[in-house]
Amino acid sequence: MKRLSILAFMLAIFLLPIAAQAQYSKAVYVSLPGPGNVQHLAYYVAKEKKFYEEMGLTNVNIVVLRGNAMNVQALLSGSVHYSSAFGPSMHAMFKGEQIRVLLQIFNQIPFSLITRPEIKRLEDLKGAKIAVTFGGSTYSVLQALIVKYGYNEKFAEYLNIPDNEGKAVALVQGRAAAALFAPPTDRPLLKAGFKRLIYMGDEFKNVPFSALQAMNKQVQEEPEVTQRMVNAVMKALYWIRANRDGAIDVIMKAGRMHEREIAASLYDLMRDAYIPGLSSEGLYKRAELEFAILKEKPNFKPEQFIDDRFYKAALKTLAREPGAKS
């Protein structure tokens, strides 16, 4: 008996370094351009359901850096390890920055063009003031919409307001006639009598809007950490699709919402957009929305900025997860 105890003790000592090696305790930072937006739900779910820890990442920190441009700069400078500011990072890719797209996580453009009630159609906004964020997705997506309808960049006057709260105040005060919002940030305005004139998901279909990204240096130096991150976020996507009530709970918590009915309507609207994927075709579709604000169309080859080995490995590892085939 004593001999077995000694053997067990020796095995424990021997296996301790292996168990410790399986955990990555260094801080890992993931930046998002706004708090609680539904397109970033997978990151919050992975945190809430402890999927990061399950994959051996014990110190993942989600940081909100207001504005997409700030997120891109944080990624380029190495201040954060991973980021989800997809559209604006395209412009850095156009310039040759070594960003790698690891996983497309939201396959829909979630913005709505919110306007005053008297606005009946897009043409009514000609010459009006529209609140956007220069260097952010709200401006590029709006310009892509305007180009689609046959207008040019002089269609309206644009107010550069970097955050959703500021845009909402501009609408309420009458300083702007319209602005783009992603849910749930549009809900207070809709309740106050403003209207959703256009939903961008209807105008631009099957376009990936959010993605997990890292610098090539980070990917090459810590491939195991990157694989664990991809696994955790991908598992969160499957979980969202398979757990309606639980996902609604996280939407409410992350977005600081109190009305479950509204959170449920958001989930039902967005559920099919939580599709893990990665393709050069999808990346090019997203890049095309950014072309609308450029004077010259860049010679952009999306395959140069995709590293799909982690996505492919995660597909095999998580093939039997609930929601993987729904």
Side-chain angles (χ1 to χ4, degrees):
M1 199 70 176
K2 185 184 289 186
R3 196 173 178 183
L4 284 174
S5 298
I6 293 172
L7 180 60
F9 177 76
M10 290 178 67
L11 280 172
I13 294 297
F14 177 76
L15 292 175
L16 184 61
I18 298 176
Q21 192 177 13
Q23 302 296 311
Y24 185 89
S25 59
K26 291 182 182 179
V28 176
Y29 293 99
V30 184
S31 75
L32 307 180
N37 288 343
V38 292
Q39 64 266 32
H40 306 310
L41 183 62
Y43 299 105
Y44 291 106
V45 165
K47 188 77 171 177
E48 189 75 16
K49 305 307 294 184
K50 300 188 183 303
F51 294 152
Y52 297 125
E53 288 89 337
E54 182 181 321
M55 301 302 170
L57 301 176
T58 62
N59 193 8
V60 173
N61 301 274
I62 297 174
V63 294
V64 176
L65 303 176
R66 293 187 180 276
N68 284 294
M70 189 178 294
N71 280 262
V72 175
Q73 286 304 313
L75 184 64
L76 294 178
S77 67
S79 300
V80 298
H81 302 90
Y82 303 94
S83 181
S84 194
F86 195 19
S89 70
M90 292 280 177
H91 295 271
M93 294 181 209
F94 298 159
K95 296 176 182 177
E97 295 286 358
Q98 293 300 299
I99 295 173
R100 294 294 177 264
V101 182
L102 306 169
L103 181 67
Q104 297 168 12
I105 64 170
F106 193 80
N107 196 41
Q108 193 177 109
I109 305 297
F111 290 135
S112 293
L113 184 60
I114 306 299
T115 67
R116 296 199 304 262
E118 65 268 21
I119 303 296
K120 305 298 182 185
R121 53 185 181 172
L122 184 64
E123 187 178 354
D124 294 340
L125 290 171
K126 194 170 185 179
K129 294 180 179 179
I130 303 178
V132 297
T133 301
F134 291 154
S137 296
T138 53
Y139 183 61
S140 59
V141 171
L142 179 63
Q143 289 301 316
L145 177 74
I146 289 170
V147 169
K148 179 180 178 181
Y149 278 80
Y151 302 109
N152 59 34
E153 71 278 2
K154 297 180 180 179
F155 171 78
E157 182 180 344
Y158 304 104
L159 302 178
N160 183 28
I161 301 176
D163 57 79
N164 290 319
E165 292 82 0
K167 292 185 180 76
V169 169
L171 278 180
V172 171
Q173 293 180 345
R175 292 187 290 113
L180 284 182
F181 292 89
T185 57
D186 57 354
R187 294 294 162 171
L189 290 165
L190 295 174
K191 288 181 69 175
F194 291 86
K195 66 185 289 185
R196 178 185 289 112
L197 185 68
I198 295 174
Y199 180 59
M200 297 298 174
D202 294 332
E203 297 290 333
F204 305 103
K205 296 183 183 296
N206 297 317
V207 178
F209 185 73
S210 294
L212 177 64
Q213 303 166 96
M215 296 303 295
N216 186 54
K217 183 176 184 290
Q218 167 67 25
V219 172
Q220 298 302 325
E221 290 182 354
E222 297 188 305
E224 185 179 349
V225 174
T226 299
Q227 185 65 69
R228 293 180 185 196
M229 178 62 66
V230 171
N231 287 356
V233 175
M234 196 156 157
K235 181 166 183 174
L237 290 169
Y238 289 149
W239 188 91
I240 291 168
R241 294 173 63 82
N243 294 274
R244 182 178 186 271
D245 288 342
I248 292 169
D249 290 339
V250 181
I251 289 173
M252 293 180 68
K253 183 176 181 179
R256 297 180 181 178
M257 299 175 62
H258 302 291
E259 301 98 336
R260 189 172 184 83
E261 182 179 348
I262 293 177
S265 68
L266 286 177
Y267 175 85
D268 293 335
L269 176 66
M270 305 292 183
R271 189 258 183 191
D272 290 341
Y274 296 108
I275 302 174
L278 189 60
S279 70
S280 56
E281 293 80 9
L283 188 58
Y284 195 81
K285 277 187 176 183
R286 184 65 186 88
E288 284 184 312
L289 296 185
E290 303 301 322
F291 293 165
I293 62 175
L294 300 176
K295 293 181 179 180
E296 293 185 14
K297 181 178 176 181
N299 182 24
F300 178 62
K301 297 180 180 179
E303 59 274 9
Q304 295 178 353
F305 300 93
I306 287 177
D307 193 334
D308 63 0
R309 53 190 161 140
F310 307 102
Y311 166 63
K312 289 178 177 177
L315 279 177
K316 295 178 182 178
T317 301
L318 303 173
R320 295 184 180 180
E321 287 289 326
K325 296 181 180 179
S326 62

